[in-house]
């Protein structure tokens, strides 16, 4: 397509966009002057679907009128409420329904998964992560290593990009697996790196790791609802995610986990709670824990229904549209965005996100001057700044428009 950096051209792309009608179904934050913000922070906190309130009100009202009876008699009974999210989650992460569960929050799930999947021995005790992993992931992994009595110096392998490069090369990850594989217990990577937006080669990394009997987990915080996933077919061992980023389910909303079915009947250790117990006799309050033979067996507590209601509202869009169309639009946005950004003739910015990534574009500001970020914020853009020198912008296919891209381009071009 012959792109043009004009408002009319952006509008014509919006007119041809089959998903443009969804924007109107979200609350777009307004500036002081009453104009809509250019909201590029869906990778941090997705916007609120207008229907979310109705979904939460339903549960609030059922609680008011039914009290405890809502567990069985609410319009959407609370007892099995979390199960109603599983098929949508399975479609989003590419798994069987039995392999996913909505529970807890991301870092909590990461710990619970490591309780099961990181079982270091004196010979095999190392964990591999990205050097620039999200801090919470690093803290979680480090504390697990220490919890098992191992030293960080010997047990934590942080893989760095090559000098002068921003993204990790798959071959460099595989190189570590080949060299140190016999001592590695677990590889834990962000499916999409939060800083650079790089998408990892799930399949290749998992295959290589499994050939050395290493288990593999992914943190999907920036991947879920953003890129096409096939966790089951890629044989990933486990994955965890949050629902408030690309999944638009509200601040701090309940997260999710994927556990490959090959592990459902294993006797691996886990931290257990009553909600993971076999549903047939859970309420007989038996003494012995007998786990549900699915991802649900890793649940601890009965989940917060108001949060699940918000997830349900948002996932209904994902059901309606499907990841395929979302990803197709995301690629369309991405392509036009890169065209616009690359047409700005400036040596003050550099795009560090590799080609063919997801929604997010990370723009490195040369010399790390935060001034530029503050100025675009003043002009009505909501994006974010990550130290030391990156502006992250994430146009998302459900509610961002091509006009948003053009608006951002115009602001940035003027400032540069
Ligand atoms: C957003 C994010 C988190 C946040 O963790 P919570 O437990 O939900 O607070 C963790 N890891 C990554 C990679 C993230 O992007």
């Amino acid at each position: 397509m012959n792109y043009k950096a004009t408002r009319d051209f952006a509008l014509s792309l919006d007119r041809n966009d089959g998903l443009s009608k969804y924007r109107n179904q979200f609350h777009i934050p307004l500036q002081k002057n009453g104009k809509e913000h250019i909201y590029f922070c869906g990778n941090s906190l997705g916007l609120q679907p207008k229907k979310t309130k109705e979904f939460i009100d339903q549960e609030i009202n059922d609680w008011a009128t039914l009290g405890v009876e809502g567990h069985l008699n609410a319009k959407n009974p609370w007892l099995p409420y979390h199960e109603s999210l599983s098929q949508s989650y399975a479609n989003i992460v590419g798994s069987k329904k039995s392999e996913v569960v909505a529970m807890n929050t991301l870092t909590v799930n990461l710990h619970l998964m490591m309780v099961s999947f990181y079982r270091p021995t004196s010979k095999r005790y190392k964990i591999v992560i990205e050097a620039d992993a999200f801090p919470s992931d690093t803290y979680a992994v480090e504390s697990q290593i220490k919890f098992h009595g191992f030293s960080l110096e010997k047990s934590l392998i942080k893989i760095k990009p090559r000098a002068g490069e921003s993204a990790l090369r798959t071959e460099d990850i595989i190189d570590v697996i080949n060299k140190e594989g016999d001592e590695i217990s677990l590889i834990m990577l962000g499916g999409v790196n939060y800083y650079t937006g790089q998408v990892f080669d799930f399949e290749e990394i998992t295959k290589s790791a499994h050939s050395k009997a290493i288990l593999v987990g992914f943190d999907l915080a920036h991947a879920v609802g953003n890129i096409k996933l096939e966790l089951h077919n890629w044989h990933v061992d486990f994955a965890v995610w949050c629902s408030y980023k690309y999944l638009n389910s509200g601040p701090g909303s309940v997260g999710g986990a994927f556990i490959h079915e090959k592990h459902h009947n294993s006797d691996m250790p886990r931290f257990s709670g009553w909600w993971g117990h076999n549903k047939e006799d859970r309420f007989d309050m038996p003494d012995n824990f007998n786990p549900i033979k699915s991802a649900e067996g890793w649940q601890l507590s009965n989940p917060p229904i108001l949060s699940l209601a918000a997830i349900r509202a948002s996932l209904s869009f994902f059901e309606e549209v499907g990841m395929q169309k979302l990803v197709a639009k995301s690629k369309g946005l991405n392509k036009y965005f890169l065209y616009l950004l690359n047409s700005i003739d400036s040596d003050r910015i550099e795009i560090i996100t590799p080609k063919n990534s997801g929604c997010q574009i990370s723009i490195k500001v040369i010399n790390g001057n935060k001034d530029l970020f503050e100025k675009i914020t003043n002009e009505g853009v909501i994006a974010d700044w990550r130290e030391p020198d990156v502006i992250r912008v994430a146009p998302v296919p459900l509610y961002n428009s091509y006009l948003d891209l053009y608006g951002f381009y115009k602001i940035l071009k003027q400032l540069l």
Side-chain angles (χ1 to χ4, degrees):
M1 202 184 302
N2 277 329
Y3 287 137
K4 288 190 201 121
T6 65
R7 186 182 151 85
D8 279 349
F9 189 79
L11 284 170
S12 78
L13 290 174
D14 280 329
R15 272 195 303 275
N16 288 319
D17 166 20
L19 304 189
S20 61
K21 61 181 181 198
Y22 287 100
R23 178 180 176 90
N24 197 18
Q25 307 212 27
F26 285 81
H27 291 289
I28 314 279
L30 299 179
Q31 304 177 45
K32 285 201 189 83
N33 61 14
K35 273 175 40 184
E36 287 177 345
H37 275 287
I38 296 177
Y39 192 82
F40 282 168
C41 249
N43 58 340
S44 189
L45 184 72
L47 290 181
Q48 183 186 141
K50 289 179 180 167
K51 63 167 127 170
T52 298
K53 191 167 185 309
E54 187 189 308
F55 278 62
I56 293 178
D57 279 349
Q58 177 72 45
E59 306 317 320
I60 287 278
N61 294 338
D62 282 351
W63 175 26
T65 54
L66 298 168
V68 71
E69 312 234 290
H71 283 303
L72 296 173
N73 297 337
K75 178 168 175 239
N76 313 299
W78 305 326
L79 183 63
Y81 198 101
H82 63 282
E83 295 169 25
S84 67
L85 306 178
S86 298
Q87 189 57 56
S88 308
Y89 268 156
N91 297 342
I92 290 171
V93 303
S95 76
K96 297 190 174 179
K97 192 177 169 188
S98 61
E99 292 175 314
V100 289
V101 60
M103 62 178 189
N104 313 312
T105 47
L106 192 155
T107 310
V108 173
N109 286 334
L110 189 51
H111 275 298
L112 291 178
M113 291 302 112
M114 284 195 281
V115 164
S116 292
F117 291 91
Y118 176 55
R119 302 185 307 276
T121 65
S122 58
K123 290 218 170 68
R124 195 186 270 280
Y125 52 90
K126 295 184 180 175
I127 302 185
V128 174
I129 59 170
E130 312 134 84
D132 59 351
F134 191 84
S136 195
D137 300 27
T138 308
Y139 304 155
V141 162
E142 290 183 351
S143 61
Q144 287 281 337
I145 289 173
K146 288 195 264 184
F147 176 74
H148 285 283
F150 290 84
S151 80
L152 294 182
E153 299 80 64
K154 284 195 186 144
S155 312
L156 187 60
I157 304 175
K158 291 181 165 183
I159 307 190
K160 280 199 191 77
R162 294 187 187 181
E165 297 183 7
S166 304
L168 276 176
R169 296 193 190 192
T170 305
E171 65 203 83
D172 289 354
I173 300 173
I174 290 179
D175 196 45
V176 170
I177 294 173
N178 288 337
K179 286 200 179 116
E180 302 189 58
D182 295 339
E183 294 175 346
I184 298 171
S185 169
L186 176 68
I187 296 180
M188 225 303 296
L189 298 171
V192 173
N193 180 269
Y194 85 101
Y195 192 80
T196 62
Q198 176 184 13
V199 178
F200 285 103
D201 189 335
F202 289 71
E203 191 171 17
E204 199 56 37
I205 293 167
T206 305
K207 201 166 85 191
S208 165
H210 284 174
S211 76
K212 291 270 186 182
I214 301 165
L215 295 170
V216 185
F218 285 96
D219 177 335
L220 304 181
H222 285 267
V224 71
N226 174 15
I227 60 168
K228 187 96 178 67
L229 295 164
E230 291 286 345
L231 297 185
H232 177 84
N233 292 337
W234 293 335
H235 302 285
V236 169
D237 294 290
F238 74 86
V240 294
W241 60 89
C242 51
S243 63
Y244 49 81
K245 291 174 178 168
Y246 293 104
L247 296 181
N248 316 314
S249 300
S253 203
V254 168
F258 160 91
I259 298 143
H260 198 282
E261 69 176 354
K262 67 188 168 195
H263 299 297
H264 293 179
N265 288 305
S266 103
D267 57 0
M268 54 176 41
R270 73 177 100 191
F271 284 172
S272 342
W274 76 313
W275 222 248
H277 184 90
N278 183 10
K279 291 175 201 176
E280 275 83 67
D281 65 346
R282 181 193 286 149
F283 288 94
D284 301 342
M285 308 293 180
D287 286 338
N288 294 326
F289 178 68
N290 174 21
I292 303 168
K293 301 280 189 271
S294 73
E296 285 192 50
W298 272 262
Q299 296 173 105
L300 301 180
S301 304
N302 78 101
I305 299 299
L306 301 182
S307 168
L308 296 188
I311 301 177
R312 191 173 182 156
S314 176
L315 293 190
S316 69
F317 290 120
F318 287 81
E319 276 301 288
E320 200 174 302
V321 180
M323 281 313 295
Q324 198 148 348
K325 280 193 193 155
L326 285 173
V327 168
K329 174 166 172 191
S330 173
K331 286 188 190 304
L333 287 169
N334 208 286
K335 217 166 147 196
Y336 186 52
F337 203 24
L338 289 177
Y339 162 81
L340 291 172
L341 294 175
N342 287 328
S343 74
I344 300 176
D345 184 22
S346 169
D347 50 12
R348 280 182 61 198
I349 56 168
E350 180 198 339
I351 294 164
I352 60 166
T353 305
K355 286 209 172 67
N356 298 318
S357 298
C359 300
Q360 178 181 324
I361 301 287
S362 301
I363 303 170
K364 179 170 163 168
V365 183
I366 306 301
N367 300 329
N369 191 341
K370 199 175 168 187
D371 214 40
L372 180 64
F373 173 72
E374 275 152 11
K375 284 184 177 145
I376 62 171
T377 305
N378 285 338
E379 294 293 326
V381 174
I382 299 184
D384 76 13
W385 172 262
R386 282 288 172 267
E387 295 295 344
D389 56 9
V390 160
I391 298 172
R392 300 188 307 171
V393 282
V396 307
L398 265 176
Y399 51 76
N400 282 120
S401 62
Y402 289 90
L403 190 60
D404 283 338
L405 303 180
Y406 177 74
F408 179 83
Y409 153 82
K410 236 181 92 187
I411 291 167
L412 192 63
K413 190 173 157 150
Q414 246 156 31
L415 290 171
L416 287 171

